[in-house]
Amino acid sequence: MQRRNSISRQVSTHAVMTAILEKGPISRAGISRETGLSKQTSSEIVRLLEETGWIEETGLSKGKVGRSAVLYQIVPDSAYIVGVDLGGTSLTVALADMTGDLVAQETVPTSPRGGPQIIAQIAEICRRLAERPAAGWEKVRLAVVGTPGVVDPVSGFIEFAPNIPGFDRLRVEDELRHVLGIAVIVENDVNLAVIGERWRGAGQGVDDLVFIALGTGIGQGIMLDGKLLRGASGTAGEIGYLPLCTDPFTEQARSVGAFESAVGSKAILRLYRDEGGECETVRELFQRAEDGERRAALVLDEIGSRLALGVAATAALIDPEKVIFGGSIGGRPELLERIRRKLEECMRRPPVVEASSLGRRAGIEGALAYGIEELHRLTHGSGLITSVPAVPTLTMAPVSSSG
């Protein structure tokens, strides 16, 4: 019976914190209406949260009739979350408060020495960002790290991250937890990008959402019913391994994926060479197409057709409402136009296809959103509201703020 009461109180506390974050500033009566809890229960939880420092009074309501009511809001600096977006060439670390607002951010080149040096680099920047007025490392509760590749749920090692040397030989989550002394979660960077787009980007309000990042390679993050889809081994969404557009029974296809071999930046430049052209970068090829060069336009036509096949295959299996393209190549409007046109030719009801509205910020925004969500889960798993604040489940709904 005692355990049942404890769980009930955790659920009620969760509901109250959610109401305050999403609707605040809000009165006790407003909390009761939003949560369905009795006024007495709401008041008890509000008192406890206020005494422990997670919410505060922020003024009085202004009504025409009756007495004014005290309004409550989350105390933004009661705890902090670190988000990390790790790429082969750049590393971004951001510090956010309890409401998800950005406090500090730093972007630096990723250490070329890889492995343990990157662990040390992340730890150094995290602690430096926390040296802010009202912050302090003791208030940082959780770090969420986005990285290329997939974290093996059994071994803890990261697979499929060839651009970060030495990372496949580290249990990155354990290493960071040791040097930071806080809870750490390591997640695929494209998975975090789809969370970021749903939280504050082009996917707001969309429960069935796909994010496709196209650059040197291709990756995909999937949300169904507002929840991240990982699969049995964490590799759900590895669109690069779809057996499309090239022979899937080769060593290269086994290594990097058949579809990635057909649509990544190297494939685009290879197609251009096959057409008799020569250029150093995909950016240059896009410029030539914009200048009216037919050969470059034909290459983009072909890549658009191939990407449309990848979207169609994905849509046939999971039926997303929207597909968002990002990455250094994926968000180009001239490419998206071709994808949409080809989807109309091969699907009866194609999903909406849009460019990322967050750009390079998708991953870091997703890390912060994930951090708030997960910190809430960890807190309520303990059944306590003493050492870690009870963060409401945002279901990735937008909070005011700034791949």
Side-chain angles (χ1 to χ4, degrees):
M1 179 63 71
Q2 184 176 0
R3 175 174 174 77
R4 184 181 302 169
N5 290 339
S6 175
I7 293 173
S8 176
R9 179 49 64 100
Q10 291 173 42
V11 172
S12 298
T13 303
H14 172 196
V16 169
M17 287 290 283
T18 300
I20 297 172
L21 180 56
E22 294 184 351
K23 304 294 183 179
I26 186 172
S27 67
R28 295 190 184 200
I31 292 170
S32 181
R33 286 194 300 271
E34 289 292 329
T35 62
L37 297 172
S38 69
K39 291 183 179 180
Q40 179 180 348
T41 300
S42 297
S43 294
E44 289 175 357
I45 294 173
V46 165
R47 178 179 54 77
L48 175 60
L49 290 172
E50 188 176 15
E51 288 175 353
T52 50
W54 309 128
I55 66 173
E56 62 185 358
E57 294 183 8
T58 186
L60 299 173
S61 63
K62 296 179 180 180
K64 295 182 179 179
V65 180
R67 295 182 303 171
S68 297
V70 175
L71 300 177
Y72 296 90
Q73 66 179 11
I74 302 293
V75 177
D77 63 356
S78 55
Y80 293 90
I81 298 140
V82 169
V84 179
D85 186 15
L86 174 62
T89 59
S90 68
L91 167 66
T92 297
V93 182
L95 182 72
D97 64 23
M98 282 283 288
T99 64
D101 283 340
L102 190 67
V103 174
Q105 180 175 304
E106 186 172 331
T107 299
V108 299
T110 303
S111 172
R113 293 182 294 170
Q117 285 71 33
I118 293 179
I119 299 294
Q121 186 181 32
I122 292 172
E124 178 186 354
I125 298 173
C126 285
R127 292 183 179 276
R128 183 161 62 242
L129 292 185
E131 295 172 359
R132 306 277 164 162
W137 184 251
E138 69 279 357
K139 287 188 177 181
V140 179
R141 305 299 188 183
L142 175 68
V144 177
V145 181
T147 174
V150 176
V151 181
D152 186 293
V154 177
S155 70
F157 290 105
I158 295 178
E159 302 175 341
F160 312 116
N163 294 325
I164 304 180
F167 242 44
D168 58 346
R169 297 192 296 273
L170 294 176
R171 290 185 174 88
V172 176
E173 195 169 293
D174 291 343
E175 296 283 344
L176 283 170
R177 189 181 296 116
H178 176 72
V179 297
L180 292 176
I182 60 175
V184 175
I185 297 167
V186 177
E187 181 60 82
N188 173 263
D189 53 358
V190 186
N191 282 349
L192 292 180
V194 73
I195 293 173
E197 288 289 345
R198 185 166 184 265
W199 193 34
R200 289 176 172 161
Q204 293 181 54
V206 180
D207 286 342
D208 300 301
L209 181 68
V210 167
F211 179 90
I212 296 177
L214 176 63
T216 303
I218 188 168
Q220 181 177 246
I222 300 170
M223 294 195 80
L224 295 178
D225 276 338
K227 298 177 182 177
L228 190 64
L229 181 67
R230 289 190 180 83
S233 61
T235 59
E238 286 294 318
I239 190 174
Y241 286 87
L242 283 176
L244 293 175
C245 305
T246 189
D247 184 0
F249 299 104
T250 65
E251 188 56 38
Q252 182 183 12
R254 180 180 173 84
S255 175
V256 302
F259 194 55
E260 180 167 312
S261 299
V263 298
S265 60
K266 292 180 180 179
I268 296 173
L269 295 176
R270 185 173 62 249
L271 277 174
Y272 189 61
R273 287 194 298 270
D274 292 344
E275 291 290 331
E278 191 67 46
C279 62
E280 294 295 324
T281 66
V282 174
R283 182 188 298 271
E284 184 181 346
L285 187 147
F286 272 102
Q287 185 59 55
R288 293 184 185 185
E290 186 177 334
D291 293 341
E293 184 187 295
R294 183 173 181 274
R295 182 165 46 201
L298 288 174
V299 170
L300 294 185
D301 287 345
E302 175 60 24
I303 294 298
S305 295
R306 294 179 181 185
L307 289 170
L309 285 177
V311 172
T314 298
L317 291 174
I318 63 173
D319 188 26
E321 178 182 343
K322 181 180 286 189
V323 176
I324 298 172
F325 273 86
S328 59
I329 299 172
R332 300 283 305 224
E334 54 268 66
L335 190 57
L336 294 178
E337 290 170 9
R338 289 169 164 86
I339 294 170
R340 294 188 191 104
R341 188 165 60 244
K342 285 297 180 180
L343 284 174
E344 292 286 349
E345 294 177 12
C346 70
M347 294 186 67
R348 292 178 58 190
R349 289 184 292 184
V352 174
V353 174
E354 290 185 7
S356 165
S357 63
L358 295 176
R360 294 184 177 183
R361 288 202 57 77
I364 202 71
E365 292 285 2
L368 296 176
Y370 193 116
I372 292 174
E373 177 83 11
E374 189 64 13
L375 185 53
H376 162 72
R377 189 191 69 79
L378 291 173
T379 301
H380 283 81
S382 68
L384 301 174
I385 321 172
T386 53
S387 61
V388 183
V391 185
T393 302
L394 298 182
T395 58
M396 307 314 165
V399 180
S400 62
S401 176
S402 57

